[in-house]
């Protein structure tokens, strides 16, 4: 861990030391409308946004979408306004990703564009402030501050509470940073502000960080160790989302199904759950706490008409009680993301994944037996350190054997700080990585098309999201398995009132009979508007 760096030439030493002491992320506590007592060199007024306009851009995973909502919630309470117009912004914040080199290069390119915008700022307006938030701020703090003088503030994933103070320091013309990782920050008392008022679904962060320490992964170094939100705060957030009329919630975490709430002493007496058969961990076994199965059970009881999803899980944390719960509850989606990363046991060992190919395939069979009709998705990395052609072909054969409905495939990108960076050699030429990636993508699409064609002729429950991007006469939504479904925007019967003809709206459940399928999309014709409860008789 390390404190954020503050570039503060000319500050008295005692004043600078005071800032460092105060820059650590505050511990969780109930939110209050009162502003905390500021450091001696900042007044309460300095910490207020004074209606300055903030423009937020989000890059990367769903966790960053949720982080954006958390950051905006904090700034909104401090008096900032939100704008979707970059030209009228007083503050531009980029919520960044470091998972691959390409993601970081995107941010460097964006900063070059923003530098031009900043230099052209009229002197009659307040100076434009630019900030880097999230994983890239944590990983490349020194390089960003030294290389890009256009950047005014850096805030790591655990420092969003400090944004008003960092922006206040930046107003004096200084660069300001807080990238301290926390052992307990979960933002449990910060209610995220939804980015889209018309959204039908929302992400709810239930835990942060990761302890798995896979050799290729930067996440433990940019987001810190695992810590889980108290169950009560999660249930409160989901209830509020239900009251707002949202129809789908996705529980988020880097290792979401290793959730463990130890916030109360009595929780430590909870019965421990077992790992998936044939799986192991890279850390000492943890005891006690309210586990993921308990949370999933409680969340699914809040609103029977609200779909529940979760991502991203680790294959090791799928005890039978979780699988049984998914099977039994109509509103828990029958869709599981099961990151494999490779089909070669030798490569999996080098990745420190904690399982062999055989154990993974056995888990796949067990899941499909436990949850008939389940949709599966996965992650794969092409060209990891030392991967041979034979290793690659084993990954190809795993794709053929499992037939995933969805997949996320990438070429390996070495990340500093990771175990692979220190102990392995990135010895696969870039052209070989890309060739193997293309081969994996081709096989995945072939197999996904086969898997998705099994839906043809079946009736699917679809949660409507809006107009299709490719046709103004079509709507789209997602089925239980999270596949996109496209269907004509026509009048239909409402099962709760058969005499009524209605047009489907975002947030409606409709029944769609599937007529065609591809590797990414299902198409069909709509039958009627329904409810999640009533749909069971048709699907």
């Amino acid at each position: 861990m390390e404190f954020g760096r503050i570039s503060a030439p000319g500050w008295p030493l005692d004043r600078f030391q005071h800032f460092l002491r105060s820059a650590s992320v505050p511990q969780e506590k109930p939110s209050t409308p009162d502003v905390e007592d500021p450091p001696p060199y900042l007044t309460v007024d300095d910490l207020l946004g004074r209606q300055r306009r903030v423009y937020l851009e989000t890059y990367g995973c769903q966790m960053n979408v949720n982080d954006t909502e958390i950051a905006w919630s904090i700034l909104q309470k401090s008096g900032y306004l939100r704008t979707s117009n970059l030209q009228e912004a007083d503050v531009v914040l980029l919520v960044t990703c470091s998972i691959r080199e390409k993601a970081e290069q995107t941010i460097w390119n964006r900063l070059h564009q923003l530098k031009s915008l900043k230099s052209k700022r009229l002197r009659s307006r307040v100076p434009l402030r630019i900030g880097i938030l999230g994983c890239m701020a944590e990983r490349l703090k020194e390089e960003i501050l030294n290389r890009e003088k256009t950047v005014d503030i850096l805030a790591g994933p655990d420092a969003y509470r400090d944004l008003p103070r960092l922006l206040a320091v930046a107003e004096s013309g200084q660069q300001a940073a807080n990238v301290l990782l926390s052992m307990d920050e979960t933002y449990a008392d910060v209610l995220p502000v939804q980015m889209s008022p018309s959204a039908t679904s929302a992400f709810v962060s239930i835990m942060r960080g990761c302890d798995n320490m896979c050799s290729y992964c930067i996440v433990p170094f940019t987001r810190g160790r695992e810590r889980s939100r108290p169950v009560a705060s999660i249930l409160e957030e989901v209830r509020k989302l239900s009251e707002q009329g949202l129809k789908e919630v996705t529980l988020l975490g880097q290792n979401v199904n290793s959730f463990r709430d130890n916030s109360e002493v009595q929780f430590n007496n909870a019965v421990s759950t077992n790992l998936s058969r044939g799986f192991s961990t890279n850390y000492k076994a943890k005891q006690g706490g309210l586990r993921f199965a308990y949370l999933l059970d409680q969340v699914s009881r809040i609103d029977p008409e609200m779909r529940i999803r979760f991502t991203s899980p680790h294959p090791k944390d799928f005890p039978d009680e979780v699988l049984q719960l998914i099977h039994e509850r109509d509103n828990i989606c029958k869709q599981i993301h099961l990151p494999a990363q490779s089909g070669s046991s030798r490569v999996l060992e080098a990745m420190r994944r904690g399982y062999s190919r055989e154990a993974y395939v056995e888990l796949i069979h067990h899941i499909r037996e436990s949850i008939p009709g389940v949709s599966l998705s996965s992650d794969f990395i092409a060209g990891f350190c030392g991967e041979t052609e034979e290793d690659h072909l084993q990954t190809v054969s795993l794709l053929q054997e499992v037939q995933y409905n969805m997949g996320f495939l990438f070429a390996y990108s070495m990340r500093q700080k990771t175990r692979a960076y220190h102990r392995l050699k990135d010895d696969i030429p870039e052209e070989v990585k890309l060739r193997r990636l293309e081969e994996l993508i081709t096989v995945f699409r072939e197999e996904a098309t086969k898997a998705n064609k099994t839906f043809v002729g079946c009736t699917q429950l679809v949660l409507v999201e809006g107009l299709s991007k490719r046709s103004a006469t079509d709507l789209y939504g997602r089925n239980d398995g999270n596949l996109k479904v496209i269907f004509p925007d026509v009048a239909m019967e409402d099962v709760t009132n058969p005499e009524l003809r209605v047009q489907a709206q975002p947030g409606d459940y409709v029944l769609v009979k599937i007529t065609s399928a591809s590797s990414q999309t299902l198409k069909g014709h709509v039958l009627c508007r329904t409810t999640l409860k009533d749909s069971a008789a048709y699907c």
Side-chain angles (χ1 to χ4, degrees):
M1 294 185 187
E2 53 186 302
F3 282 99
R5 171 179 176 273
I6 303 297
S7 176
W11 281 9
L13 180 61
D14 59 341
R15 192 163 155 189
F16 181 61
Q17 290 174 334
H18 180 92
F19 182 88
L20 286 180
R21 288 196 299 272
S22 63
S24 60
V25 181
Q27 301 299 308
E28 290 177 19
K29 55 192 174 199
S31 59
T32 170
D34 298 325
V35 178
E36 293 181 27
D37 291 338
Y41 58 94
L42 293 177
T43 68
V44 171
D45 285 345
D46 289 332
L47 299 181
L48 298 178
R50 299 189 298 278
Q51 296 191 322
R52 280 175 291 178
R53 297 182 181 276
V54 179
Y55 180 86
L56 287 145
E57 285 186 356
T58 308
Y59 299 82
C61 67
Q62 295 98 326
M63 285 296 295
N64 282 0
V65 175
N66 185 255
D67 278 9
T68 302
E69 295 172 348
I70 289 171
W72 172 233
S73 177
I74 291 166
L75 290 172
Q76 187 181 54
K77 287 183 178 179
S78 292
Y80 287 85
L81 301 177
R82 181 83 188 273
T83 180
S84 57
N85 184 346
L86 179 61
Q87 299 300 321
E88 69 178 24
D90 303 309
V91 178
V92 176
L93 300 177
L94 309 183
V95 184
T96 63
C97 173
S98 271
I99 199 71
R100 277 171 288 277
E101 184 177 353
K102 183 178 179 181
E104 292 183 346
Q105 188 57 50
T106 300
I107 300 301
W108 290 121
N109 294 341
R110 186 59 168 148
L111 285 175
H112 182 72
Q113 296 168 359
L114 293 175
K115 183 176 183 179
S116 174
L117 180 68
K118 192 172 186 177
S119 64
K120 296 176 181 177
R121 183 85 163 184
L122 295 175
R123 292 188 177 182
S124 59
R125 299 178 63 186
V126 297
L128 178 65
R129 302 303 178 192
I130 296 173
I132 299 293
L133 276 55
C135 294
M136 192 169 168
E138 174 62 41
R139 195 181 91 80
L140 296 174
K141 44 195 171 289
E142 296 292 338
E143 183 176 351
I144 293 171
L145 290 177
N146 293 330
R147 173 175 161 182
E148 290 293 344
K149 299 303 180 183
T150 189
V151 174
D152 299 289
I153 73 164
L154 293 180
D158 293 343
Y160 301 143
R161 294 179 192 270
D162 210 27
L163 282 171
R165 177 159 38 204
L166 294 174
L167 286 167
V169 172
E171 284 305 302
S172 68
Q174 310 295 334
Q175 287 181 307
N178 183 349
V179 291
L180 178 67
L181 288 176
S182 169
M183 292 292 287
D184 50 21
E185 177 64 272
T186 64
Y187 300 106
D189 60 316
V190 178
L191 186 64
V193 176
Q194 300 298 311
M195 295 293 100
S196 173
S198 61
T200 61
S201 60
F203 296 115
V204 174
S205 176
I206 69 169
M207 51 98 65
R208 299 177 73 85
C210 184
D211 289 345
N212 288 323
M213 300 298 290
C214 300
S215 62
Y216 56 83
C217 188
I218 192 66
V219 167
F221 304 96
T222 58
R223 287 189 171 268
R225 301 296 297 272
E226 281 185 19
R227 61 271 190 203
S228 299
R229 281 178 64 181
V231 167
S233 73
I234 298 169
L235 298 182
E236 179 185 4
E237 184 174 343
V238 174
R239 286 192 194 97
K240 289 182 178 179
L241 292 171
S242 174
E243 291 167 1
Q244 292 170 18
L246 272 74
K247 293 294 184 66
E248 183 177 282
V249 159
T250 300
L251 305 179
L252 279 183
Q254 263 79 31
N255 188 177
V256 67
N257 53 341
S258 72
F259 177 87
R260 185 186 302 271
D261 177 10
N262 285 310
S263 60
E264 303 287 344
V265 174
Q266 63 268 29
F267 296 168
N268 293 325
N269 297 322
V271 178
S272 296
T273 53
N274 298 320
L275 296 178
S276 306
R277 187 182 307 169
F279 288 70
S280 62
T281 67
N282 293 323
Y283 51 81
K284 184 178 178 181
K286 302 174 185 179
Q287 301 298 321
L290 299 180
R291 301 305 311 278
F292 184 65
Y294 175 85
L295 174 66
L296 194 58
D297 171 55
Q298 294 298 304
V299 169
S300 68
R301 292 177 185 273
I302 290 174
D303 184 350
E305 289 296 312
M306 176 184 276
R307 274 180 170 172
I308 309 300
R309 301 187 189 277
F310 57 90
T311 199
S312 179
H314 190 286
K316 75 179 190 304
D317 294 306
F318 275 107
D320 285 348
E321 51 264 40
V322 170
L323 301 180
Q324 183 179 351
L325 194 61
I326 296 172
H327 173 61
E328 291 176 352
R329 296 288 163 81
D330 290 337
N331 64 333
I332 301 179
C333 292
K334 310 303 182 281
Q335 180 252 328
I336 292 179
H337 186 60
L338 211 62
Q341 307 302 358
S342 174
S344 163
S345 293
R346 194 187 69 83
V347 173
L348 289 170
E349 183 176 3
M351 290 178 167
R352 302 183 84 225
R353 289 292 289 169
Y355 54 86
S356 64
R357 175 196 175 107
E358 291 73 24
Y360 180 87
V361 171
E362 182 180 344
L363 176 60
I364 292 282
H365 292 322
H366 183 53
I367 288 174
R368 283 179 164 158
E369 290 171 359
S370 303
I371 312 170
V374 65
S375 291
L376 297 176
S377 58
S378 192
D379 298 337
F380 286 93
I381 296 173
F384 184 65
C385 306
E387 182 187 72
T388 65
E389 281 299 314
E390 175 58 30
D391 294 325
H392 168 62
L393 291 176
Q394 288 183 40
T395 301
V396 170
S397 71
L398 183 64
L399 286 167
Q400 294 169 330
E401 181 176 354
V402 176
Q403 281 194 347
Y404 299 96
N405 300 92
M406 290 183 290
F408 304 89
L409 299 87
F410 303 95
Y412 176 62
S413 177
M414 177 75 85
R415 302 281 79 194
Q416 292 182 5
K417 295 187 179 181
T418 62
R419 186 182 180 92
Y421 178 81
H422 291 292
R423 303 198 180 190
L424 301 177
K425 186 177 180 181
D426 187 10
D427 54 358
I428 310 300
E430 193 65 22
E431 62 271 19
V432 175
K433 289 181 183 178
L434 295 178
R435 189 258 300 167
R436 291 177 182 174
L437 176 61
E438 285 302 315
E439 290 177 4
L440 293 182
I441 290 173
T442 298
V443 173
F444 159 73
R445 286 176 175 167
E446 292 171 352
E447 300 304 323
T449 299
K450 294 176 187 176
N452 294 341
K453 280 187 175 180
T454 62
F455 291 109
V456 174
C458 298
T459 300
Q460 294 288 294
L461 178 68
V462 176
L463 177 60
V464 182
E465 295 185 20
L467 282 172
S468 169
K469 294 180 181 179
R470 295 190 177 184
S471 171
T473 62
D474 288 336
L475 295 173
Y476 82 98
R478 295 188 182 272
N479 71 347
D480 197 65
N482 210 26
L483 283 168
K484 181 180 287 188
V485 181
I486 297 174
F487 55 95
D489 181 10
V490 296
M492 70 196 76
E493 177 186 314
D494 186 335
V495 295
T496 61
N497 188 351
E499 297 179 1
L500 188 65
R501 301 288 292 178
V502 297
Q503 299 282 139
Q505 301 296 322
D508 285 345
Y509 287 113
V510 297
L511 293 175
V512 177
K513 188 165 185 178
I514 305 303
T515 57
S516 66
S518 69
S519 63
Q520 296 179 305
T521 307
L522 304 178
K523 292 185 178 181
H525 60 263
V526 68
L527 302 177
C528 61
R529 186 169 71 178
T530 184
T531 64
L532 198 156
K533 179 181 178 181
D534 291 334
S535 68
Y538 301 90
C539 297

